[in-house]
């Protein structure tokens, strides 16, 4: 059509030109309209799904949709004056999404609008056909379809709703239950919520529609929109800027700080040591220096690897200590090598995401008051699989006093580390916790920023606290010592510190002020004399605190 328009122009066919152009525009309008609807089938009739909330067309693929909020839904446009009869229905749904499992819901309006209790849920595995049989007590006047419960893209490959007979409903539900019975060892959630399946199978041999319906309903009661960490990585990290875009952004940064990465090394397995160093070499942000202190490793391969990398890149600096001094002394030796304005700490067997330093540098360039930066992290298995993400809160002193939730990736202003004198000897095992508590005490909690992104991968290998805190029991006593020091230096000498039931978590018993402050207890009451009496008498008889009203 476009080719015809171009040929007509300039040859006197203005009327034909305008007619063809109009038709093209009209077809485009029709096409856009079609693309902004979804086709569904109810009783073999074609109906349309109209997006009404938190749903837009995907910017990457016109055949896909994108949920932009927690409550996406479509209205199902039924023909005028049409209602769906009461009785048994089979709902079939097939969807595709980056997330492997979605929870879809079908809301039924039977004359009183849409209500949460009047919905049918179905768990959909991406690319698989899901099916749900249900019974409607009344004719259905309207339908609303919620494709998922979270943000993200998806496509609807099949939406079909068909009336079925009671016999078909019974057979379909019984078949589903028997399938689940066969898979019971792989479905813990169903074992929790249903009776013993072997008993169910025997009872199913007796034809009882009510019993089959009850068992069938139990299958769907606890279904949720689950997301594995692999799904999360695929869905969210795929949306991060690409390497080319990040490199372009770096060129336009007004301030590009040099970030010095401190790595103390001692007899590190060569595979993990190489991966650690390579993760720094692979950073998109180029203005870094890697300062490594070998703490007199007895494994000569470690020294050879360090010399190899130091010769490969001038940004890698290595010092070989003549005597083993443990992690604090080794880290301080590495600190002596640095020239950057900011100091980052990296363990010798851990790795950084390739965009870690870029996001740190971007924050530094926009926040001139920054003193401490930390990010989210996860654990990496020996095989390199990412596990157990730690999505942290923004800075929270009360939380920090119970355990070092900040840990990795942590970056400090160099002048702050210089003022503190580096890491303290005698706190090995919790030297990073001690450094952090001393730092926040000095800066009075100013300029502490959290980057809510997974920038650090903590290696879980034998002997690592990432695998189990108990692997290094001395870290518990070192952590208590660091916390005790913080409290003493900040005017809380009367507070008691004890370990909790979880390794590396602490509990503080704060002293009650003297004299005891007045506490006013308010009891709003009306009638119900016996309830009020119980409340008042329990306060009088059980309260050991005296200054209350």
């Amino acid at each position: 059509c476009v080719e015809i328009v171009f040929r007509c122009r300039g040859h006197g066919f203005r009327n034909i030109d305008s007619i063809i152009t109009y038709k093209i525009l009209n077809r485009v309008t029709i096409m856009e309209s079609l693309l902004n609807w979804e086709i569904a089938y109810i009783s073999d009739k074609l109906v349309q799904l109209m997006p009404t909330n938190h749903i837009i067309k995907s910017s990457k693929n016109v055949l896909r949709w994108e949920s932009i909020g927690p409550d996406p839904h479509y209205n199902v446009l039924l023909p005028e004056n049409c209602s769906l009869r009461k009785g048994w229905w089979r709902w079939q749904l097939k969807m595709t999404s980056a997330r492997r499992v979605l929870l879809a819901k079908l809301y039924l309006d039977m004359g009183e609008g849409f209500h949460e209790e009047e919905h049918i849920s179905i768990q959909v595995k991406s690319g698989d056909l899901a099916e749900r049989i249900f019974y409607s007590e009344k004719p259905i006047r309207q339908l609303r379809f919620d494709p998922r419960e979270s943000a993200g893209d998806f496509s609807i490959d099949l939406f079909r709703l068909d009336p079925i007979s009671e016999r078909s409903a019974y057979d379909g539900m019984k078949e589903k239950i028997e399938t689940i019975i066969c898979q019971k060892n792989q479905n813990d959630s169903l074992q929790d919520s249903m009776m013993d399946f072997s008993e169910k199978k025997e009872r199913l041999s007796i034809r009882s529609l009510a019993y089959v319906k009850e068992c069938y309903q139990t299958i769907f009661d606890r279904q949720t929109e689950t997301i594995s960490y692999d799904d999360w990585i695929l869905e969210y990290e795929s949306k991060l800027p690409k390497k080319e875009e990040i490199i372009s952004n770096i060129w336009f940064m007004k301030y590009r700080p040099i970030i010095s990465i401190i790595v103390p090394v001692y007899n590190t397995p060569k595979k993990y040591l190489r991966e650690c160093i390579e993760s720094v070499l692979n950073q998109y942000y180029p203005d870094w220096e890697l300062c490594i202190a070998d703490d007199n490793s007895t494994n000569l391969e470690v020294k050879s690897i360090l010399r190899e990398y130091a010769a490969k890149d001038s940004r890698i600096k290595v010092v070989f200590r003549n005597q083993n001094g443990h992690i604090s002394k080794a880290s301080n030796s590495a600190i002596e090598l640095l020239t950057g304005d900011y100091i980052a700490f990296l363990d010798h067997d851990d790795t950084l995401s390739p965009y870690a330093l870029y996001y740190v540098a971007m924050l530094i360039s926009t926040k001139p008051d920054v003193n401490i930066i930390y990010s989210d992290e996860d654990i990496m298995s020996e095989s390199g699989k990412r596990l157990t993400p730690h999505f942290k809160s923004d800075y929270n002193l009360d939380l920090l006093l119970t355990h070092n939730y900040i840990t990795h990736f942590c970056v400090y202003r160099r002048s702050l580390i210089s003022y503190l004198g580096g890491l303290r000897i005698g706190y090995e095992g919790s030297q990073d916790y001690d450094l952090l508590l001393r730092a926040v005490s000095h800066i009075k909690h100013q300029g502490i920023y959290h980057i809510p992104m997974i920038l650090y991968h903590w290696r879980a290998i034998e002997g690592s606290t990432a695998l189990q805190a108990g692997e290094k029991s001395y870290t518990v006593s070192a952590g208590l010592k660091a916390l005790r020091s913080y409290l003493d230096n900040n005017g809380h000498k009367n507070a008691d510190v004890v370990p909790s039931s979880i390794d590396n978590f602490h509990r503080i018993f704060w002293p009650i002020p003297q004299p005891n402050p007045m506490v006013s207890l308010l009891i709003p009451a009306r009638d119900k004399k016996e309830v009020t009496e119980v409340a008042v008498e329990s306060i009088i008889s059980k309260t050991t605190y005296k200054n209350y009203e």
Side-chain angles (χ1 to χ4, degrees):
C1 289
V2 173
E3 188 176 349
I4 292 172
V5 170
F6 279 118
R7 286 179 180 173
C8 289
R9 285 180 180 169
H11 292 279
F13 297 110
R14 292 187 180 180
N15 291 333
I16 296 176
D17 182 349
S18 63
I19 291 172
I20 293 176
T21 304
Y22 171 78
K23 287 185 176 180
I24 290 172
L25 289 174
N26 195 35
R27 289 176 184 174
V28 169
T29 304
I30 293 170
M31 182 60 69
E32 288 178 347
S33 177
L34 289 173
L35 288 174
N36 284 300
W37 299 72
E38 277 290 346
I39 295 173
Y41 293 92
I42 297 180
S43 303
D44 287 327
K45 293 181 180 179
L46 203 63
V47 297
Q48 291 176 316
L49 305 180
M50 181 178 71
T52 51
N53 194 59
H54 287 177
I55 296 178
I56 61 173
K57 268 296 175 186
S58 170
S59 58
K60 298 179 181 178
N61 188 335
V62 295
L63 300 179
R64 295 179 72 85
W65 297 91
E66 185 173 352
S67 165
I68 56 173
D71 187 29
H73 57 253
Y74 296 88
N75 278 347
V76 183
L77 299 185
L78 302 176
E80 192 174 353
N81 299 322
C82 171
S83 65
L84 311 181
R85 69 165 176 80
K86 67 179 253 184
W88 289 99
W89 291 85
R90 176 183 283 113
W91 178 28
Q92 293 178 307
L93 182 63
K94 184 177 181 181
M95 298 171 61
T96 306
S97 171
R99 183 171 293 190
R100 296 180 189 177
V101 179
L102 301 176
L103 186 69
K105 294 181 179 180
L106 190 64
Y107 285 84
L108 315 178
D109 175 10
M110 301 176 186
E112 298 180 355
F114 296 118
H115 300 285
E116 190 61 34
E117 59 272 15
E118 298 290 348
H119 81 266
I120 308 299
S121 64
I122 186 170
Q123 199 178 64
V124 185
K125 294 183 179 179
S126 179
D128 290 352
L129 180 66
E131 182 178 287
R132 177 77 190 268
I133 295 171
F134 65 92
Y135 184 79
S136 176
E137 300 284 351
K138 300 177 182 178
I140 304 168
R141 296 187 179 182
Q142 293 185 82
L143 289 170
R144 193 187 94 184
F145 170 50
D146 293 23
R148 58 186 297 167
E149 293 189 313
S150 60
D153 73 331
F154 63 94
S155 66
I156 302 172
D157 304 321
L158 175 68
F159 182 105
R160 188 177 186 94
L161 196 60
D162 293 298
I164 57 175
S165 67
E166 183 179 289
R167 180 70 201 191
S168 295
Y170 173 82
D171 291 341
M173 292 188 293
K174 187 168 180 279
E175 181 182 353
K176 177 69 173 180
I177 295 168
E178 290 175 340
T179 301
I180 296 295
I181 290 171
C182 297
Q183 299 172 346
K184 67 172 186 174
N185 293 329
Q186 303 170 358
N187 201 319
D188 296 334
S189 64
L190 290 176
Q191 291 183 48
D192 292 340
S193 60
M194 297 181 72
M195 295 168 48
D196 183 85
F197 278 106
S198 59
E199 294 180 16
K200 284 186 178 294
K201 192 167 185 178
E202 291 181 12
R203 292 177 65 181
L204 283 172
S205 62
I206 305 171
R207 188 178 188 279
S208 168
L209 180 62
Y211 180 72
V212 170
K213 181 182 176 184
E214 175 192 341
C215 294
Y216 182 78
Q217 178 63 39
T218 311
I219 296 173
F220 300 91
D221 280 346
R222 293 194 177 184
Q223 288 189 340
T224 58
E225 185 170 300
T226 56
I227 177 169
S228 68
Y229 188 38
D230 288 340
D231 290 337
W232 185 92
I233 292 171
L234 181 64
E235 186 169 343
Y236 290 97
E237 293 193 354
S238 63
K239 297 177 182 177
L240 295 176
K242 303 303 180 188
K243 179 178 180 180
E244 296 75 17
E245 183 180 348
I246 289 177
I247 292 174
S248 176
N249 292 340
I250 291 170
W251 280 103
F252 291 97
M253 288 174 61
K254 294 181 180 179
Y255 170 50
R256 288 170 49 172
I258 294 177
I259 301 172
S260 303
I261 304 169
I262 304 303
V263 181
V265 169
Y266 180 72
N267 286 346
T268 315
K270 60 181 182 180
K271 174 179 183 293
Y272 301 139
L273 180 58
R274 286 189 180 278
E275 288 182 8
C276 175
I277 298 174
E278 288 291 341
S279 77
V280 178
L281 287 170
N282 291 333
Q283 289 298 302
Y284 300 154
Y285 184 76
D287 299 330
W288 53 263
E289 59 180 7
L290 180 58
C291 302
I292 304 173
D294 176 71
D295 199 22
N296 197 27
S297 293
T298 57
N299 185 345
L300 297 181
E301 271 192 307
V302 171
K303 298 179 186 291
S304 175
I305 291 171
L306 296 180
R307 291 191 179 97
E308 172 193 333
Y309 277 102
K312 180 186 295 187
D313 195 307
S314 61
R315 295 172 295 179
I316 299 177
K317 305 175 182 180
V318 182
V319 59
F320 296 95
R321 291 173 50 82
N322 296 322
Q323 184 177 4
N324 181 264
H326 214 312
I327 190 168
S328 296
K329 285 186 177 180
S331 297
N332 288 338
S333 295
I335 289 173
E336 293 175 1
L337 301 174
L338 64 84
T339 61
D341 293 327
Y342 288 86
I343 302 175
F345 289 89
L346 173 64
D347 287 351
H348 60 164
D349 48 6
D350 298 341
T351 64
L352 298 176
S353 70
Y355 41 79
L357 296 186
Y358 163 71
Y359 282 104
V360 169
M362 284 291 288
L363 193 148
I364 292 172
S365 67
T366 57
K367 303 287 186 183
D369 67 328
V370 63
N371 287 305
I372 299 174
I373 301 169
Y374 66 96
S375 74
D376 297 342
E377 62 186 294
D378 61 16
I379 290 176
M380 181 177 287
S381 70
E382 294 187 36
S383 63
K385 182 176 176 58
R386 292 171 57 185
L387 311 162
T388 321
H390 185 185
F391 300 113
K392 304 170 187 176
S393 74
D394 283 350
Y395 178 63
N396 182 335
L397 178 61
D398 290 314
L399 185 61
L400 184 61
L401 295 182
T402 65
H403 72 294
N404 184 9
Y405 78 93
I406 288 178
T407 52
H408 313 109
F409 181 43
C410 201
V411 181
Y412 295 83
R413 188 186 291 270
R414 178 185 178 182
S415 58
L416 177 59
I417 297 296
S418 297
Y419 175 85
L420 298 173
L423 280 72
R424 282 202 291 187
I425 312 304
Y427 291 82
E428 286 77 10
S430 283
Q431 70 287 334
D432 51 348
Y433 190 36
D434 173 64
L435 179 65
L436 188 56
L437 290 174
R438 288 188 293 134
V440 300
S441 178
H442 174 64
I443 62 177
K444 304 305 178 187
H445 326 313
Q446 298 298 313
I448 303 175
Y449 292 95
H450 166 223
I451 300 176
M453 301 178 68
I454 303 284
L455 303 184
Y456 192 99
H457 311 301
W458 191 3
R459 184 82 65 174
I461 58 176
E462 186 177 352
S464 167
T465 52
L467 189 62
Q468 186 177 351
E471 289 281 358
K472 297 181 179 178
S473 59
Y474 66 90
T475 64
V476 176
S477 57
L480 288 170
K481 181 180 177 181
L483 182 55
R484 178 76 269 169
S485 174
Y486 170 86
L487 294 173
D488 290 346
N489 293 332
N490 286 274
H492 303 299
K493 292 186 177 182
N494 293 328
D496 291 329
V497 181
V498 297
S500 78
S501 58
I502 306 173
D503 286 339
N504 291 319
F505 279 69
H506 321 295
R507 187 175 180 187
I508 301 175
F509 289 91
W510 301 97
I512 298 175
Q514 298 295 334
N516 295 168
M518 167 66 76
V519 177
S520 299
L521 305 177
L522 308 181
I523 305 178
R526 179 181 179 183
D527 302 325
K528 300 292 182 182
K529 171 178 175 289
E530 65 281 0
V531 175
T532 308
E533 279 183 343
V534 171
V536 173
E537 288 175 1
S538 69
I539 292 168
I540 294 172
S541 62
K542 297 179 180 179
T543 302
T544 58
Y545 190 83
K546 300 302 181 184
N547 193 15
Y548 70 89
E549 60 180 6

